[in-house]
Amino acid sequence: MDKTKSWKLFKLLLKLSISGLSLYLVSRKVEVKDLKDAFRESNPLFLFFAFVAFVISQIISASRLNTFFRGIGLNISALYNFKIYLLGMFYNLFLPGGIGGDGYKIFLLRKRFSIKGRRLFQAIFFDRLSGLWALGLIISVLVIFIPYLGIPNWIPIIAVLTGSIVYYLVMRRYFGDYSHNFLLTHGKGLLVQSMQVVSVIILLYALNYEGKFAPYLFMFLLSSLVAIFPFTVGGLGARELVFVYGAQYFQMDQHLAVIISLLFYCISAILSFSGVYFIFYPKQLGEREVEVQ
């Protein structure tokens, strides 16, 4: 076995180990029986609506990425872009030890079109960065609505304004091709994160929760921030761990917090798994749907 394959296998085993350890720590804090009861008592109609909200967020996310692609002269149809986006989601969630979803998209687009891999990488990087910016903005807004944190309101406001201005100026100065549609792409970024927040709110309704939503939404966004780093398989375990210890800090219901995290992971996994269709039927990606200029 060569060094590359050995390293990939090591990364996969490491991610599985960290996910397993995280879930083990979570299981020590919550009762599995209580989780099963909560799942059984949840409202299936609200679960469906939560799934729909997540699907909408991913459609918008794929559209945001396509906007960055068009900024570098790669004009592909929205349908084709969404298909490879689903395929990328599958690779990210179910095949963490091999090529990642972003890496596969770069490989596929380079293979079909005469465009440099560096340009594709930068487009995907700024797509992710716009999502991170939106995540930070919504987290800052929620900080204002959670007095328990004891953070003065002016701190998140100044942080967001200063960070956004510096971020835009640096992007415009050094990466002009990606700043032309700044408002459009980052507006879509806000919509993506907002729809995922809506999905979590619906999950709370599905679990018949009637208390304050802000702490749960705050912990969800923090867990999303942690899940960005590829230490676990698709964020499994990391999200739940953040929810468990966050629930202790905010004196939230730990069982409810973990269930929300697991339900959201299941929703993401269901949509991501649809991408496997294009592995078995790659011709269904549809070359005719491509328009390159």
Side-chain angles (χ1 to χ4, degrees):
M1 184 179 295
D2 59 35
K3 291 184 179 180
T4 302
K5 291 183 179 179
S6 298
W7 174 241
K8 288 181 178 179
L9 178 60
F10 173 75
K11 287 196 299 181
L12 175 58
L13 293 176
L14 182 61
K15 288 182 179 181
L16 290 173
S17 299
I18 295 176
S19 291
L21 176 61
S22 299
L23 291 174
Y24 170 73
L25 293 174
V26 170
S27 68
R28 291 176 60 87
K29 297 289 184 179
V30 297
E31 295 292 335
V32 176
K33 180 181 178 299
D34 292 337
L35 294 179
K36 290 181 179 179
D37 291 340
F39 273 116
R40 190 164 47 247
E41 296 170 2
S42 59
N43 187 315
L45 183 59
F46 278 116
L47 293 179
F48 172 74
F49 288 146
F51 176 74
V52 171
F54 179 75
V55 171
I56 292 173
S57 78
Q58 295 309 290
I59 292 174
I60 299 171
S61 182
S63 174
R64 179 187 64 194
L65 177 58
N66 205 13
T67 301
F68 279 108
F69 283 157
R70 292 181 181 277
I72 60 174
L74 179 60
N75 298 311
I76 57 179
S77 72
L79 180 59
Y80 177 78
N81 177 69
F82 187 62
K83 288 178 180 178
I84 63 173
Y85 190 87
L86 288 177
L87 189 54
M89 288 182 66
F90 174 80
Y91 273 102
N92 275 333
L93 196 62
F94 293 100
L95 300 175
I99 184 172
D102 292 339
Y104 183 80
K105 281 180 282 192
I106 292 174
F107 168 78
L108 183 64
L109 293 172
R110 279 192 66 193
K111 182 179 177 182
R112 293 195 175 188
F113 317 121
S114 57
I115 185 166
K116 294 181 179 179
R118 178 178 59 84
R119 300 275 285 168
L120 290 170
F121 173 81
Q122 288 178 341
I124 292 174
F125 172 77
F126 282 110
D127 173 70
R128 292 300 183 97
L129 197 59
S130 67
L132 187 61
W133 170 85
L135 193 61
L137 176 60
I138 298 177
I139 288 175
S140 298
V141 171
L142 282 175
V143 166
I144 297 175
F145 290 95
I146 307 178
Y148 185 81
L149 291 171
I151 300 176
N153 291 347
W154 64 268
I155 292 181
I157 293 174
I158 294 297
V160 167
L161 288 176
T162 304
S164 297
I165 292 173
V166 172
Y167 168 45
Y168 172 72
L169 291 177
V170 171
M171 190 176 183
R172 183 177 178 180
R173 174 67 177 82
Y174 297 102
F175 304 96
D177 290 345
Y178 307 97
S179 66
H180 296 319
N181 297 307
F182 186 88
L183 292 179
L184 178 61
T185 54
H186 289 73
K188 288 180 179 180
L190 277 176
L191 284 175
V192 170
Q193 298 300 334
S194 297
M195 288 307 302
Q196 292 192 12
V197 167
V198 169
S199 180
V200 174
I201 290 174
I202 298 174
L203 288 177
L204 286 166
Y205 278 117
L207 296 169
N208 303 307
Y209 179 69
E210 298 179 351
K212 293 182 179 180
F213 287 177
Y216 290 94
L217 299 179
F218 181 74
M219 293 314 306
F220 165 73
L221 293 171
L222 279 186
S223 70
S224 297
L225 198 60
V226 171
I228 291 175
F229 301 98
F231 298 137
T232 61
V233 179
L236 181 62
R239 285 182 180 275
E240 290 72 27
L241 205 58
V242 171
F243 264 103
V244 165
Y245 288 101
Q248 289 182 342
Y249 179 79
F250 287 107
Q251 299 180 348
M252 297 154 51
D253 185 334
Q254 287 187 330
H255 295 90
L256 180 63
V258 172
I259 291 169
I260 291 171
S261 179
L262 290 174
L263 283 175
F264 189 84
Y265 180 85
C266 290
I267 286 173
S268 174
I270 290 172
L271 181 61
S272 299
F273 190 73
S274 64
V276 74
Y277 176 79
F278 302 110
I279 292 180
F280 291 106
Y281 302 98
K283 291 184 178 180
Q284 295 302 315
L285 286 173
E287 293 186 13
R288 292 183 180 179
E289 294 163 6
V290 183
E291 300 174 359
V292 186
Q293 297 178 357

